[in-house]
Amino acid sequence: MLKDKNIIVGVTAGIAAYKAVDLVSRLKKQNANVEVIMTENATKFVSPLTFQTLALNPVYVDMFKEPRNYDVEHISLAEKADVFLIAPATANIIGKIANGIADDLLTTTIMATKAKVIFAPAMNTNMYLNPIVQGNMDYLKGLGYEFIKPGIGILACQTYGPGRMAESADIVEYVIDSFYDKDLVGRKILVTAGPTIEPLDPVRYITNHSSGKMGYKIAEEANKRGADVVLISGPTNLEPPTGVEIIKVNTTREMFNAVEEHFYQCEVLIKAAAPLDYRPEVVSNEKIKKKDGEKDELNIKYIRNPDIVAHFGNLKKNQIVVGFAAETNNLIEHAKEKLAKKNLDFIVANDVSKDGAGFKTDTNLVTIIDKDGMVTDYPILDKLQVAKIILNKVKELINDKS
Ligand code: PMT
């Protein structure tokens, strides 16, 4: 993911320096070129040799050491950096940068870089909450420096509160995300995902096999590309993507109401959910009992639920509305009918009877059909890849409209 990216990691003097070892190792596993600059004091916590061994690069500490090459180190590292990550970042380094102090190799390099600088603070809770530190961070944020929030927990100094350096995996994810093309910044995108359920009685309901994976990947990807995302989700076991506003619903009518509440503020509606088309006409207040002596049958009358995407597709003014079609036969024919009937901008058709496609799987096999009838087939792809393709298409339509 970080292939050919130059990540300069600045390690400052905090006990969390030991966590930076894992961080460097994880960045390397993402195929980044990692170079480490340590402050003199940081070397008292972890040896430069540890970082050198993991990063497979020399570790820089001393500004005035014999030059290893003819470049001025703080300039060459500053220029080389695609991202500059300071982890752990002490109150001291934050304060120095906020006040323009450049008195060692790390601070001079940060000052000289035009790359994105990300701090992962780690310090005692009281220090972290100190208005001076908070003020320094606010000031730096205003200048475009970024901060990865520390975790809350028991710290090495035995205090409880914020100040624990974010987990390495989350920091790596943050770095990966920083390379995202933020081409959907400020776009308001509404995504639906998962199944709906319709109760029969207090203990039973009907539903379908949707896991929510497809819709969640779309929401996650749109958020990473800078969109403001509202995700309306039926019941799933998935963790909501970070940064996305999530609204949980059960029934199709609840999903309809949630879409109605947000539709008029959004520019794009993507309906990846699989809402139930029918619900039992009567929901029993009590558990439905077996009745001895009667026929071995239970007849339940079902009535139609609203077709959410058709309703809003036909109401849309300037919005882009994208639907899915889950079919088991005549994929293109049925998808084309839905595209027209629901007044969609395009439809993502998947034959859910095929291996690796549709419900529950991590992959999907889709065909996208445009309003003008263009049909594009894709091979089996990870649902994240499918999400990217859908959002690229959405982006094209947004561009056409503006
Ligand atoms: O959730 P996963 O396990 O990852 O599976 C993904 C998926 C198979 C659910 C997804 O790829 C998909 O195909 N979603 C649409 C499922 C569906 O309901 O298809 P449909 O052909 O019955 O409906 C067509 C469109 O109308 C869909 O956009 C659907 O969201 C929408 N619809 C359907 C019924 C209804 N009452 N209201 C709707 O808005």
Side-chain angles (χ1 to χ4, degrees), residues 210-212 214 271-273 277 306 308-309 324 338 350 360 383:
S210 172
S211 63
M214 188 66 250
K271 282 264 358 349
D277 283 321
I308 306 167
V309 82
F324 272 71
K338 287 177 183 172
N350 41 191
K360 288 194 174 129
K383 279 181 177 164

Side-chain angles (χ1 to χ4, degrees), residues 192 194 209-215 252 271-277 305-310 322-327 338 342 347-348 350 352 358-361 364 383:
T192 69
H209 292 294
S210 172
S211 63
K213 286 181 183 173
M214 188 66 250
T252 297
K271 282 264 358 349
L276 294 187
D277 283 321
N305 266 329
D307 187 323
I308 306 167
V309 82
V322 179
F324 272 71
E327 307 296 343
K338 287 177 183 172
K342 301 180 189 225
I347 193 159
V348 184
N350 41 191
V352 294
F359 298 117
K360 288 194 174 129
T361 52
N364 208 350
K383 279 181 177 164

Side-chain angles (χ1 to χ4, degrees), residues 196 198 251-258 279-280 283 305-306 308:
T196 58
E198 298 291 350
T251 65
T252 297
R253 282 173 300 166
E254 283 170 19
M255 186 172 275
F256 179 96
N257 292 341
R279 65 178 185 274
V283 180
N305 266 329
I308 306 167

Side-chain angles (χ1 to χ4, degrees), residues 5-43:
K5 300 290 182 215
N6 291 309
I7 315 292
I8 310 295
V9 179
V11 180
T12 64
I15 182 61
Y18 84 91
K19 284 188 174 177
V21 172
D22 178 45
L23 177 62
V24 166
S25 155
R26 285 174 187 261
L27 289 167
K28 280 299 290 182
K29 283 188 190 137
Q30 296 288 331
N31 294 320
N33 173 50
V34 183
E35 307 211 28
V36 177
I37 307 176
M38 300 178 79
T39 60
E40 195 76 52
N41 283 339
T43 64

Side-chain angles (χ1 to χ4, degrees), residues 185-207:
V185 169
R187 302 294 176 189
K188 295 195 179 340
I189 301 189
L190 188 55
V191 181
T192 69
T196 58
I197 61 174
E198 298 291 350
L200 287 158
D201 68 15
V203 297
R204 302 184 184 91
Y205 56 80
I206 57 163
T207 188

Side-chain angles (χ1 to χ4, degrees), residues 106-119:
L106 180 57
T107 46
T108 46
T109 313
I110 296 172
M111 218 65 91
T113 194
K114 287 192 172 151
K116 179 182 286 225
V117 178
I118 303 167
F119 291 90

